[in-house]
Amino acid sequence: LAILSNELKRKDEAFEYYKKIADADLGDEKYAEAYDEVVKKYRREDNREMFAKYIAQAKKHYGTDPYWETIEIEYAVKGLEGETLFKKYEELLTTHPDNYMVNFNYGYELEKYIYSAEAKGKDISGYKKKIPELFKKAIALNSTINANLLLANHYYNSSFDIMDEANKIKSAKPDDVKKKNELLASSKSTMLESEPYALKAAELFSQLKEYKASDKENYKQILGLLSTVAKQKGDLKKAEEYNSKKAEVDKL
């Protein structure tokens, strides 16, 4: 009856039949569409109570399908920004600790935030510490191009942030010189931390069958990063290899 109602363009009528199926708590694979239609309707209406009820039923019957958890997370963070969004992600880390999407998206949102105008003048040290933890967990769950790329870039950019702090120290006092040297050493070690993730990202890029324009740009960017790291290590030959490889990317 739901299928027939859809064919006759009677959407409201179809929904009522889908809801009857969901309310009967039927779990056969062929009824997944019913739960999907009910969940989508309550998400559109922003009815969080009913959405939660039916998404829980869907997960009970089709828990091995990541689709349900994905739309649950998307709805949970819908419309949220800044610290309100971060608070919600902290809650999701408790309820979905091993979800790639939660860890990756949280890390991505924090990375955007720390370089935003909104973060100016605020203590973001805790967020900076949190970012690599989130990306590392995401990579442990699913070692994707994006997760490796963003973690490599995080360490790389952080190394320059630390270098900027070091360069602000102009005093020749022993304590200030000591602090500056410590910061410069930290900058170098932080840059080197980017290497394994940059290498993995480059490896995954090299395995792509087709390349979008954005893929090529990111591939070149990560090869440029690896070249800089090689120079930092004093390996000029390796740095040049990465630069040569970078020049070939546009031909892919």
Side-chain angles (χ1 to χ4, degrees), residues 60-75:
K60 179 178 74 173
H61 296 304
Y62 315 111
T64 57
D65 188 342
Y67 170 77
W68 305 101
E69 202 165 78
T70 296
I71 60 173
E72 181 183 26
I73 292 163
E74 287 176 347
Y75 184 50

Side-chain angles (χ1 to χ4, degrees), residues 4-233:
L4 178 59
S5 296
N6 269 329
E7 290 177 352
L8 296 174
K9 310 298 183 185
R10 298 174 182 173
K11 297 296 182 182
D12 291 341
E13 194 175 289
F15 172 77
E16 292 304 319
Y17 290 120
Y18 282 133
K19 189 170 180 297
K20 286 179 184 292
I21 292 169
D23 286 338
D25 203 25
L26 302 177
D28 193 280
E29 188 63 36
K30 65 185 176 183
Y31 297 128
E33 182 182 357
Y35 291 95
D36 192 31
E37 291 296 328
V38 174
V39 163
K40 283 178 178 176
K41 179 176 173 63
Y42 288 126
R43 182 175 62 176
R44 286 195 303 271
E45 295 177 354
D46 203 21
N47 188 329
R48 293 186 177 272
E49 181 181 351
M50 296 300 281
F51 176 88
K53 174 184 175 180
Y54 290 103
I55 198 73
Q57 283 183 233
K59 287 170 67 181
K60 179 178 74 173
H61 296 304
Y62 315 111
T64 57
D65 188 342
Y67 170 77
W68 305 101
E69 202 165 78
T70 296
I71 60 173
E72 181 183 26
I73 292 163
E74 287 176 347
Y75 184 50
V77 300
K78 180 184 176 183
L80 302 181
E81 295 180 355
E83 294 182 6
T84 305
L85 175 61
F86 306 152
K87 183 178 179 181
K88 175 55 69 175
Y89 271 123
E90 286 293 337
E91 293 174 10
L92 289 169
L93 281 178
T94 301
T95 55
H96 302 71
D98 295 324
N99 183 279
Y100 169 86
M101 182 179 173
V102 170
N103 285 277
F104 177 83
N105 285 4
Y106 189 10
Y108 172 74
E109 292 294 342
L110 286 178
E111 186 73 18
K112 278 200 308 181
Y113 177 78
I114 64 173
Y115 291 107
S116 69
E118 188 182 350
K120 298 291 184 184
K122 294 183 179 179
D123 181 6
I124 56 174
S125 57
Y127 291 151
K128 285 188 173 183
K129 183 179 179 182
K130 184 86 175 177
I131 290 167
E133 295 174 3
L134 292 165
F135 284 137
K136 284 178 183 178
K137 181 61 181 288
I139 288 167
L141 293 165
N142 186 11
S143 188
T144 64
I145 286 178
N146 286 336
N148 282 283
L149 177 70
L150 289 179
L151 183 51
N153 282 332
H154 171 75
Y155 281 127
Y156 186 74
N157 293 332
S158 294
S159 73
F160 286 103
D161 292 341
I162 297 168
M163 186 181 293
D164 287 343
E165 288 299 310
N167 290 334
K168 290 176 184 177
I169 300 174
K170 306 298 183 182
S171 169
K173 293 179 181 179
D175 286 347
D176 290 334
V177 171
K178 181 174 180 290
K179 183 179 179 181
K180 183 171 185 174
N181 288 335
E182 288 173 349
L183 286 169
L184 290 172
S186 176
S187 173
K188 182 176 181 179
S189 64
T190 300
M191 181 177 285
L192 294 181
E193 284 191 81
S194 72
E195 186 177 33
Y197 304 103
L199 286 170
K200 185 61 179 179
E203 176 192 339
L204 293 170
F205 272 123
S206 72
Q207 294 171 0
L208 292 178
K209 303 300 182 185
E210 295 181 4
Y211 292 85
K212 296 180 290 187
S214 58
D215 292 328
K216 291 183 179 181
E217 287 305 309
N218 286 327
Y219 193 3
K220 288 190 290 185
Q221 184 267 323
I222 211 69
L223 289 169
L225 184 157
L226 285 166
S227 178
T228 301
V229 171
K231 288 177 186 175
Q232 183 74 268
K233 295 168 70 174

